[in-house]
Amino acid sequence: MSGRLTDADGRERVEFTFEGDAVSAYAGDTIAMALWAAQAAALRRSSSAGEPRGVLCNMGVCYECLVTVDGHNVRSCMTVVRAGMVVERGGRQ
Amino acid sequence: MSDLVIDADVGVVGAGPGGMAAATRLAAAGLSVAVLDEAPRAGGQIYRQPPVGASASVGIPEPPSHDQGHALIHEFERARLLSVHGATVWDARPGRLWFEHEGRSRLLRCERIVLSPGAYDRCIPFPGWTLPGVVTAGALQVMVRGFGVVPGQRALVAGSGPLLLPTVTALLGAGVEVVAALEASSRWRALRAAPGVIGNAARRREAVWYMKQLWRHGARLQWGWTVFACEGDGRVQRAIIGKVDADGRPRRGTARTIEVDVVGAGFGLVPSIELGLRLGARSRYRPERGGYCLVVDEEQRTAEPTVFAAGEICGVGGAEVAAAEGAVCASAILGELDGRAAAPEVLRAARAERRAADTMLRAFAPLPGLNELARPDTLVCRCEDVTRKQAQQAAEVHGDSMRAIKMGCRAGMGPCQARICGPSLQAMATGQNARVMDRPVVQVPLKAVRADTIRNAPEAC
Ligand SMILES: Cc1cc2nc3c(=O)[nH]c(=O)nc-3n(C[C@H](O)[C@H](O)[C@H](O)COP(=O)(O)OP(=O)(O)OC[C@H]3O[C@@H](n4cnc5c(N)ncnc54)[C@H](O)[C@@H]3O)c2cc1C
Ligand code: FES
């Protein structure tokens, strides 16, 4: 189980959706960190085997955390959440 | 066009200790400086700041070196310079840095460039390393210290090198049970690091601080151990750990299973040199510094005279080295403008830091036997789903150069551009564990960006 260091973090809450499910994040979270804290570790399916993949480097190098936002593939570990964002699991580039 | 193109005297890539030290000094001397960094805030990897308004770092004790970090950030954020965050540099030429920023394609034009893009975790493939929940050691630090996210309840940390300590202490500080903390090097090998620590006051203080933290939590490093495999249904639930011999070869008879819900594996760092190579810098293989590093002269100048480099890009060495070399870049550039050499005391300080770091890190140079952790069906390239066996077949048929292996099985052709698999791919494909990888080939875009960023690039060449 993952979670947050402090519940009263001091930041505003930001709501977005991942695969249609509502997720509540803190302003300034990356998509990857908001999803990790919400127990959603699998972010994309791998290119040929279709295996679940998630964060590896958490600093923009590995591209394992790709998700789709507004039709664009983005690295979820480098993309800060916005209210109302519609995030879908990433697939092959 | 307008704000899509920025002009400055000096363009700096990276707002870590290296980039901040250079930029702050150059700005103080009256030059116009623009700093580009992918991260949302200044600090770089070690001094990463939590999001604005967050109380995320509360309760996580900081080592003494972070005082220097706070001072650097304080000065940097008050300096008269332009700092662009969320800016991914994807191509460069001397005097030009192309970057993607908030979905727009932008360009920085400048007389000189200072590169300080840092390093990233070295991965070594093992069965189950692709399971969600298995991340790099650095990723766990970013989670805890950068975002206040508690990664799990029961963690395994495994790998090699001084960065295991901040990872373990961040987890302990966040209340995570660290079931095991495994350093692949033997205690005897690690003793070789001692002169680099004992001879340098800051490193000595840092080491003592970490030892105290571990002791307080009743935690300890197990020397000569590593992770053999991870297992779980859809995410990691168990890890198999065991002893390795002096070369890092797994001793399968010692294997045992532990229950964990998160694993951080980091076998040192690899310098991010691609941007430097693209700009015409030369590189050299230095195992104690993490692999291929940029070659610079004593004023941190690369083979391309308008491009300077500081910090991990010249070889892994830590924040003190990065800040000292950043100061050299600034002194050298200001010297050039005045027709004199860089200040000797600034050069001396950087040389001393680098020497101490090299001595320390020699004890953690990559152990070749760890390449035996991967089984024939273990994925080595995660982007293209290539197994070790497929990479071996590619090497047999096409030859054992990096190029031949890539062409033969697509390993290293995905969006990470072989940053993750590259350092150990050839060793694994050829079965020569100590084999050094070929020099990385630079691909443009240097980082995968949107197609329209490339299409709409100002002054595209
Ligand atoms: C995850 C992680 C955690 C670390 N923790 C510690 C620690 O606790 N203690 C310690 O002593 N050392 C730590 N290190 C080592 C650390 O990297 C160095 O000590 C120090 O941060 C190096 O400074 P630097 O200026 O060379 O690079 P960094 O601090 O790594 O800064 C480089 C900056 O460049 C940016 N960048 C890179 N490429 C691009 C690009 N193409 N476009 C735009 N921006 C780019 C990055 O976003 C980053 O902010 C850590 C390293 C990593 C990877
Ligand atoms: S986790 Fe590696 S790029 Fe996002």
Side-chain angles (χ1 to χ4, degrees):
Chain A
M1 278 290 279
S2 45
R4 297 280 180 171
L5 217 47
T6 76
D7 278 332
D9 188 279
R11 284 180 285 161
E12 269 175 45
R13 303 301 298 220
V14 175
E15 317 289 326
F16 69 101
T17 65
F18 178 60
E19 297 280 291
D21 294 333
V23 182
S24 180
Y26 285 111
D29 275 349
T30 58
I31 299 171
M33 289 302 91
L35 290 174
W36 186 289
Q39 322 299 330
L43 302 175
R44 72 170 188 111
R45 300 256 160 222
S46 74
S47 58
S48 51
E51 290 175 349
R53 295 286 171 77
V55 166
L56 174 65
C57 71
N58 211 9
M59 48 179 282
V61 175
C62 73
Y63 289 75
E64 279 288 42
C65 66
L66 283 182
V67 295
T68 311
V69 175
D70 304 331
H72 289 287
N73 276 325
V74 299
R75 292 168 293 173
S76 58
C77 71
M78 299 300 285
T79 310
V80 175
V81 291
R82 274 183 286 103
M85 224 177 203
V86 177
V87 182
E88 303 286 344
R89 197 157 268 152
R92 211 185 135 65
Q93 271 255 318
Chain B
M1 256 321 194
S2 61
D3 74 322
L4 293 181
V5 179
I6 313 173
D7 288 295
D9 294 327
V10 183
V12 178
V13 182
M20 287 192 295
T24 306
R25 281 172 176 76
L26 291 166
L31 298 195
S32 68
V33 179
V35 183
L36 307 178
D37 194 303
E38 264 193 303
R41 296 188 72 187
Q45 296 305 345
I46 172 168
Y47 306 132
R48 177 181 290 268
Q49 303 187 77
V52 177
S55 52
S57 64
V58 171
I60 301 286
E62 288 186 342
S65 64
H66 284 228
D67 293 346
Q68 169 185 295
H70 293 304
L72 275 170
I73 290 171
H74 182 86
E75 286 170 31
F76 179 78
E77 291 187 337
R78 272 152 199 79
R80 289 174 60 90
L81 50 77
L82 177 68
S83 185
V84 189
H85 289 278
T88 301
V89 178
W90 60 271
D91 197 8
R93 287 272 190 286
R96 297 281 184 283
L97 292 164
W98 282 272
F99 63 104
E100 182 177 87
H101 180 228
E102 293 172 349
R104 298 188 312 154
S105 193
R106 302 184 65 186
L107 167 66
L108 168 59
R109 296 187 295 208
C110 49
E111 300 289 320
R112 289 182 178 75
I113 292 174
V114 175
L115 297 177
S116 198
Y120 51 88
D121 286 79
R122 170 187 295 272
C123 292
I124 294 183
F126 52 84
W129 74 304
T130 53
L131 276 173
V134 181
V135 300
T136 63
L140 292 182
Q141 278 197 66
V142 174
M143 264 181 226
V144 175
R145 293 200 292 122
F147 293 93
V149 167
V150 181
Q153 282 180 333
R154 293 170 54 83
L156 163 67
V157 177
S160 189
L163 285 189
L164 297 183
L165 293 173
T167 307
V168 171
T169 51
L171 290 170
L172 293 170
V176 180
E177 182 188 346
V178 179
V179 183
L182 312 179
E183 163 60 61
S185 276
S186 69
R187 200 182 263 119
W188 305 118
R189 187 168 186 249
L191 269 181
R192 294 176 57 192
V197 178
I198 294 164
N200 179 291
R203 280 179 205 283
R204 207 163 50 225
R205 255 197 319 276
E206 197 83 346
V208 169
W209 186 89
Y210 279 117
M211 289 308 142
K212 276 193 186 150
Q213 287 290 317
L214 293 188
W215 183 75
R216 244 193 59 204
H217 289 274
R220 66 188 184 92
L221 276 188
Q222 282 172 257
W223 302 91
W225 282 70
T226 201
V227 55
F228 285 2
C230 288
E231 296 173 351
D233 185 11
R235 68 166 294 158
V236 64
Q237 292 163 317
R238 292 172 300 283
I240 294 142
I241 62 173
K243 289 188 189 177
V244 295
D245 70 14
D247 288 330
R249 227 172 286 123
R251 291 166 54 189
R252 303 274 178 200
T254 63
R256 61 186 185 84
T257 303
I258 56 175
E259 308 267 320
V260 289
D261 61 359
V262 63
V263 174
F267 295 86
L269 296 176
V270 182
S272 300
I273 60 167
E274 298 79 11
L275 202 44
L277 297 181
R278 176 70 175 158
L279 282 161
R282 278 201 275 279
S283 66
R284 198 179 130 202
Y285 188 80
R286 307 194 56 159
E288 77 284 10
R289 293 193 185 178
Y292 285 98
C293 314
L294 287 201
V295 176
V296 288
D297 67 14
E298 74 154 6
E299 296 192 332
Q300 301 298 128
R301 197 178 286 101
T302 68
E304 160 52 45
T306 61
V307 176
F308 295 73
E312 315 282 56
I313 186 174
C314 306
V316 174
E320 290 77 16
V321 176
E325 291 181 349
V328 171
C329 292
S331 184
I333 290 172
L334 295 172
E336 269 182 7
L337 295 173
D338 290 348
R340 54 173 176 79
E345 67 280 9
V346 177
L347 298 182
R348 254 196 317 272
R351 266 202 308 271
E353 288 294 351
R354 190 49 99 172
R355 244 195 326 266
D358 282 344
T359 310
M360 177 172 89
L361 292 172
R362 222 168 309 193
F364 302 102
L367 286 169
L370 293 170
N371 291 328
E372 289 182 19
L373 292 171
R375 303 289 201 168
D377 61 348
T378 303
L379 289 183
V380 289
C381 167
R382 307 169 57 122
C383 294
E384 299 288 337
D385 278 356
V386 181
T387 63
R388 177 176 196 167
K389 180 136 196 250
Q390 288 168 323
Q392 280 167 334
Q393 285 165 345
E396 277 161 26
V397 175
H398 299 273
D400 55 13
S401 71
M402 189 69 164
R403 217 178 110 84
I405 296 167
K406 280 182 169 183
M407 301 239 297
C409 66
R410 294 199 55 78
M413 307 271 272
C416 91
Q417 302 186 352
R419 287 177 174 92
I420 301 298
C421 65
S424 50
L425 180 62
Q426 275 174 289
M428 290 209 200
T430 61
Q432 304 160 33
N433 279 332
R435 190 187 170 111
V436 171
M437 79 184 280
D438 293 345
R439 188 165 276 115
V441 178
V442 180
Q443 295 172 43
V444 178
L446 297 158
K447 291 219 169 175
V449 286
R450 294 182 183 189
D452 48 0
T453 293
I454 301 169
R455 219 172 17 245
N456 302 333
E459 287 185 22
C461 37

